[in-house]
Amino acid sequence: MSLRRIASALNLSITTISRALAGHSDVSEETRQKIVDEAKRIGYVPNEMARRLQNGRANAIGFVVPADPGADASSIFLQHIRGIWSRLERETLDLLVMAASSGCDELSHYRRLVEGRRVDGMIVSSPRQTDERIDYLLQTRFPFVVIGHDRSRDTAVMSVETDFSAAMRMAVQRLRDFGHRAVACVESEATDASDDRFEAFRAACLESGIQGVELSVDDTIAAGVATTANLMQHPVAPTALVCKSAKLAFDVFQSLQSRGLAAGRDLSIICLEDSPLLRACEPGITVVSQSADKLAYQATDTLLQMRGGLEPKRLFVQPELTAGNTDGPPGGISSRPV
Amino acid sequence: MSLRRIASALNLSITTISRALAGHSDVSEETRQKIVDEAKRIGYVPNEMARRLQNGRANAIGFVVPADPGADASSIFLQHIRGIWSRLERETLDLLVMAASSGCDELSHYRRLVEGRRVDGMIVSSPRQTDERIDYLLQTRFPFVVIGHDRSRDTAVMSVETDFSAAMRMAVQRLRDFGHRAVACVESEATDASDDRFEAFRAACLESGIQGVELSVDDTIAAGVATTANLMQHPVAPTALVCKSAKLAFDVFQSLQSRGLAAGRDLSIICLEDSPLLRACEPGITVVSQSADKLAYQATDTLLQMRGGLEPKRLFVQPELTAGNTDGPPGGISSRPV
DNA sequence: TTGAAAGCGTTACCAC
DNA sequence: GTGGTAACGCTTTCAA
């Protein structure tokens, strides 16, 4: 209804209007100008649906946020959305978002997007050990990029992830430079049951000449309290703590406060995962990580490049330091009264 | 390419296939069954773009999340997205999400969605006093629903909001029932510069026979510290605090902890805004509010009803109590050592 | 440099 | 009950 309108107003063919507006070279400068003017005058905006039907692309990519409530204290997915969008907006592509609980219906949501050709590609966040979503996408040969890493399929999937070993090295070195000699690293048992969970930590300690203490806590109950208690009675008496997850760092931070201890003074804390949760804290928690939105931006950029055929590979993004006030020269948590 | 495929496989017309699959009554049961079977066999999924072009609807609604970083410690927008989606999924409608900073380009993003007919309606969150987005949508007569309230246009826009007065009453009554006699209410100066900011609080206090203390703090600097200090030296010595925003409640909570005081024991805290931030706290903060996802669900439902022509009005949702551990019998913050 | 026509996959309006 | 035909608004191929 709209190209036609310009066409009849100017006594030109629809074809010419289309080509002029698309910037093709085979339109005389004079008519092109007339067309552009008229289009602007009537406020022409092309009908996306017609365009999409015609060239068989959805001009959109999909993103699924987990719907499990409570799982999002870190609100990392909102940052993902921002990151994806910031790459998408220059291309005039749309971002379709769905929410799905990891249960039964999640896969059917993926099918709907993929098979209904509603999106041209997908961004998948927080992969799980055995991930039916990824299996499905691989099997249908649909373009997608994973944010974060999926151990089980090293080569087959395209992924964008923070260089975790580098982050660990940066954190441990920073603590060493502050004067710490013994550093603990904590992670929740549930998150990641692999064998080499502390591998990067060990390597970093070795490199920095630091004595490393490995802690594993159950995520379901008060993880922060458990960690703090563990540290206070630990024979090695670590003066600093590296947390793998934001929630864990936050919990420990709170647990310290409720004991009248202060992060940064009594115990240095560095977190390897970014989250608005940590920035809301007072004092701010030191983070060594790549921000979630940059990661998502990178993933989206990679997805767009995949149109030109790109071999799947793991893409490592270097972490950055966001200095807070929770790390500094060693204090000593176990020397304090409880 | 696909209806056609079924048609030629069964030696029927495309029309019949379409009607059979759409569930029209004018297809014989026998052929309908054959068609459905064949469709299932080849895994037929209709092409959404063709469908949308045909019936002139986008089958999608739009939502814009603010891109201003840091503004989202509460991650309320993710909950909005979940709420919107939970209403949308049964209808097989899509959710388009954009991120925009409240600056220059925000409006152009709205234009793109509306004028490119990419969405049939919009959900607008956190309206501002003078909101060009709302002006634009009103002026183009585009269907939209606002989550939260916009004072300046009481009648013209459809909005879904928590019944704030009711929430305030619930909070104050609850504190009175715990035995509190003097309660403070705090809000940040920036959020809402209207005259009747404490109106609901005053009414609730009057109703419950409580002495009310009104506090206003500057949001830009350590609001929690300021609030706590203010309370400790206040002549009335309130034993409980009602916070209008989640960030404020969180800040006060932290400020108490860092002084060795405990929310719930030394000072009762009730927050009137829900947020994952509050649930991450240990102990959990008591909230009287409607959850963000329910509000968004309601807004979406209303938006869908607007297709049937619905007069714009303010829709009030009743708040619910999420009991935490930050409120109880009066303790007394000012009687404690600093 | 321009235009006519076909086609993208679907639905709706008729006629049979 | 069923099938042809047009239409949704655009892009592309091929002729002129």
Side-chain angles (χ1 to χ4, degrees):
Chain A
M1 196 52 187
S2 251
L3 275 191
R4 166 139 54 198
R5 190 168 143 202
I6 302 181
S8 61
L10 264 47
N11 268 321
L12 287 167
S13 76
I14 296 182
T15 313
T16 305
I17 314 294
S18 174
R19 278 182 306 210
L21 260 25
H24 288 204
S25 57
D26 56 357
V27 181
S28 81
E29 181 51 31
E30 188 191 344
T31 51
R32 201 191 63 79
Q33 196 50 251
K34 270 201 305 192
I35 291 173
V36 168
D37 287 348
E38 175 67 5
K40 193 165 291 172
R41 200 182 66 74
I42 71 167
Y44 170 74
V45 178
N47 182 318
E48 266 299 307
M49 299 314 158
R51 189 176 249 176
R52 289 170 186 184
L53 175 60
Q54 160 60 31
N55 42 22
R57 280 184 284 106
N59 288 340
I61 74 157
F63 181 64
V64 178
V65 307
D68 321 287
D72 58 8
S74 62
S75 86
I76 198 169
F77 302 107
L78 198 57
Q79 290 184 280
H80 282 334
I81 288 176
R82 294 220 180 85
I84 294 172
W85 174 255
S86 68
R87 179 63 186 85
L88 244 37
E89 65 178 324
R90 338 180 207 137
E91 315 278 343
T92 331
L93 296 175
D94 286 340
L95 171 58
L96 259 66
V97 174
M98 302 186 323
S101 36
S102 56
C104 45
D105 57 341
E106 188 173 18
L107 200 57
S108 74
H109 288 323
Y110 274 79
R111 302 191 96 95
R112 250 189 45 194
L113 285 190
V114 171
E115 283 156 33
R117 295 168 205 75
R118 299 150 110 100
V119 295
D120 303 312
M122 298 272 300
I123 303 280
V124 179
S125 181
S126 54
R128 300 184 275 273
Q129 277 89 335
T130 65
D131 202 317
E132 54 173 3
R133 308 170 300 171
I134 295 180
D135 288 336
Y136 169 68
L137 292 172
L138 276 175
Q139 162 200 328
T140 55
R141 320 194 80 243
F142 195 75
F144 72 103
V145 175
V146 172
I147 302 179
H149 177 51
D150 164 34
R151 302 201 115 81
S152 62
R153 303 183 194 68
D154 267 5
T155 59
V157 314
M158 180 74 89
S159 71
V160 173
E161 49 195 297
T162 308
D163 186 335
F164 186 71
S165 299
M168 189 63 96
R169 272 201 306 278
M170 281 177 64
V172 171
Q173 271 176 24
R174 181 174 162 88
L175 291 169
R176 199 258 329 262
D177 293 346
F178 272 129
H180 295 268
R181 306 295 309 148
V183 171
C185 176
V186 61
E187 75 167 20
S188 78
E189 281 164 358
T191 309
D192 171 56
S194 157
D195 287 339
D196 54 355
R197 18 196 336 192
F198 287 113
E199 194 182 270
F201 177 60
R202 271 180 225 132
C205 287
L206 205 63
E207 189 182 310
S208 290
I210 285 283
Q211 178 169 17
V213 173
E214 295 165 17
L215 295 178
S216 235
V217 296
D218 186 349
D219 206 13
T220 55
I221 47 160
V225 175
T227 306
T228 312
N230 207 319
L231 286 174
M232 293 182 79
Q233 64 187 38
H234 199 282
V236 172
T239 54
L241 179 67
V242 177
C243 293
K244 290 178 85 169
S245 84
K247 183 63 167 62
L248 215 43
F250 180 75
D251 284 352
V252 171
F253 177 80
Q254 281 205 92
S255 158
L256 285 179
Q257 275 195 329
S258 69
R259 287 171 187 260
L261 300 172
R265 187 192 61 194
D266 301 303
L267 180 75
S268 285
I269 298 181
I270 294 183
C271 181
L272 298 188
E273 184 188 32
D274 186 27
S275 156
L277 187 63
L278 304 181
R279 300 213 202 99
C281 288
E282 189 58 40
I285 294 178
T286 298
V287 173
V288 174
S289 168
Q290 186 50 258
S291 68
D293 55 350
K294 278 197 190 147
L295 229 47
Y297 180 96
Q298 191 55 250
T300 311
D301 193 59
T302 307
L303 182 59
L304 296 184
Q305 285 177 39
M306 284 174 76
R307 293 185 291 203
L310 203 59
E311 284 308 296
K313 63 173 175 227
R314 295 173 62 177
L315 235 78
F316 290 96
V317 181
Q318 289 310 302
E320 287 169 14
L321 169 74
T322 309
N325 299 309
T326 56
D327 60 343
I333 181 177
S334 51
S335 61
R336 299 250 157 202
V338 179
Chain B
M1 197 51 188
S2 251
L3 276 191
R4 165 135 54 197
R5 192 169 141 202
I6 302 182
S8 60
L10 265 47
N11 269 321
L12 288 167
S13 77
I14 296 182
T15 311
T16 305
I17 312 295
S18 174
R19 278 182 306 208
L21 261 25
H24 288 204
S25 57
D26 56 357
V27 180
S28 82
E29 181 52 30
E30 186 191 343
T31 52
R32 201 190 64 78
Q33 197 50 251
K34 271 200 306 192
I35 291 173
V36 168
D37 287 348
E38 175 68 5
K40 193 166 290 172
R41 200 183 64 76
I42 71 167
Y44 169 74
V45 179
N47 183 317
E48 265 300 306
M49 300 313 158
R51 192 175 246 176
R52 289 171 186 182
L53 175 60
Q54 160 61 29
N55 45 24
R57 280 184 283 105
N59 288 341
I61 74 157
F63 181 65
V64 179
V65 307
D68 322 288
D72 57 8
S74 63
S75 86
I76 197 169
F77 302 107
L78 199 57
Q79 289 184 278
H80 283 335
I81 288 175
R82 293 218 182 86
I84 295 171
W85 174 254
S86 68
R87 179 64 187 82
L88 245 37
E89 63 178 326
R90 344 181 202 135
E91 316 276 344
T92 332
L93 296 174
D94 286 339
L95 170 59
L96 259 64
V97 174
M98 302 187 324
S101 35
S102 57
C104 45
D105 58 340
E106 188 173 16
L107 200 56
S108 73
H109 287 322
Y110 275 79
R111 301 193 98 95
R112 251 190 44 196
L113 284 190
V114 172
E115 282 157 35
R117 294 167 204 77
R118 299 151 110 99
V119 295
D120 303 312
M122 298 272 300
I123 303 280
V124 179
S125 180
S126 54
R128 299 184 276 271
Q129 276 89 336
T130 65
D131 202 317
E132 54 172 5
R133 307 170 300 171
I134 293 179
D135 289 335
Y136 169 69
L137 292 172
L138 276 176
Q139 162 200 328
T140 55
R141 320 195 78 244
F142 195 75
F144 71 104
V145 175
V146 172
I147 302 179
H149 178 52
D150 164 34
R151 303 201 115 79
S152 62
R153 302 182 196 69
D154 267 5
T155 59
V157 313
M158 180 74 89
S159 71
V160 173
E161 49 195 297
T162 307
D163 185 335
F164 187 71
S165 300
M168 189 64 96
R169 271 201 307 278
M170 280 177 65
V172 172
Q173 272 177 23
R174 181 173 162 88
L175 291 169
R176 198 254 334 255
D177 292 346
F178 272 129
H180 295 268
R181 304 295 309 149
V183 171
C185 176
V186 61
E187 74 166 21
S188 78
E189 282 164 358
T191 308
D192 171 55
S194 157
D195 287 339
D196 55 356
R197 19 196 334 194
F198 287 113
E199 194 181 271
F201 178 59
R202 269 179 226 132
C205 286
L206 205 62
E207 188 182 310
S208 291
I210 284 283
Q211 178 169 17
V213 173
E214 296 165 16
L215 294 178
S216 236
V217 296
D218 186 347
D219 206 14
T220 55
I221 47 159
V225 175
T227 307
T228 311
N230 208 319
L231 286 175
M232 293 183 79
Q233 64 187 40
H234 200 281
V236 173
T239 53
L241 179 66
V242 177
C243 293
K244 291 178 83 168
S245 84
K247 182 65 166 64
L248 215 44
F250 180 76
D251 284 351
V252 171
F253 178 80
Q254 281 206 91
S255 159
L256 284 180
Q257 276 196 328
S258 70
R259 286 170 188 262
L261 300 172
R265 189 191 60 195
D266 301 303
L267 180 75
S268 284
I269 299 181
I270 295 183
C271 181
L272 298 188
E273 184 188 33
D274 185 27
S275 156
L277 187 64
L278 304 182
R279 300 211 202 101
C281 288
E282 189 56 40
I285 294 177
T286 298
V287 173
V288 174
S289 167
Q290 186 49 258
S291 68
D293 53 350
K294 279 198 189 144
L295 229 47
Y297 179 96
Q298 191 57 249
T300 310
D301 193 59
T302 307
L303 182 60
L304 296 184
Q305 285 177 41
M306 284 175 77
R307 294 184 289 202
L310 203 60
E311 284 309 294
K313 64 170 174 233
R314 294 173 63 176
L315 235 77
F316 291 96
V317 181
Q318 288 311 302
E320 288 169 13
L321 167 74
T322 309
N325 300 307
T326 57
D327 60 343
I333 181 177
S334 51
S335 61
R336 299 249 157 202
V338 179

